[in-house]
Amino acid sequence: MAAPKNHPDALTLEVVGLIGSVVARYHEEYEEAAAEHALTGAQARLLSLLALEPLPMRRLARKLKCEPSNVTGIVDRLEARGLVERRPDPDDRRVKLAAPTDEGLRIVRDLRDSLDFAREPLSALSRAEREALRDLLVRMLEA
């Protein structure tokens, strides 16, 4: 028989609600920034991932939590716009990597620069407060 679940206290529920509100506002602003570049949110997220490193379709699909066929369609549309290119994986020539073009990288920088919501509230915190917040978020994610 499973042990009864502990119900979260009021403070925990309040913190969870606040985190949800922050995430929702971030996603809303991200979608608006993407639309300014005639991108969907999924296209912008994929392009941002590729700005970190070129990736094969299957890894992109895992990171985006969607089917590889969906990723292929997104990459096709970004490639048609000149924002992404496919190139052979230097470690396995049978595998194709999706990589951002220079124009794709420029758009990723523009997207990051336009996300005021993520920066403005954080700028009201001291460096020590931002470090403490970062450390707490990392602990939460590692738990």
Side-chain angles (χ1 to χ4, degrees), residues 68-81:
S69 60
N70 292 344
V71 169
T72 299
I74 295 169
V75 169
D76 287 345
R77 287 185 285 287
L78 292 173
E79 190 174 34
R81 289 189 51 193

Side-chain angles (χ1 to χ4, degrees), residues 37-58:
H37 293 280
L39 295 171
T40 65
Q43 289 171 329
R45 283 188 294 281
L46 186 144
L47 199 53
S48 294
L49 281 173
L50 294 180
L52 301 173
E53 65 176 321
L55 293 168
M57 302 298 173
R58 289 200 184 283

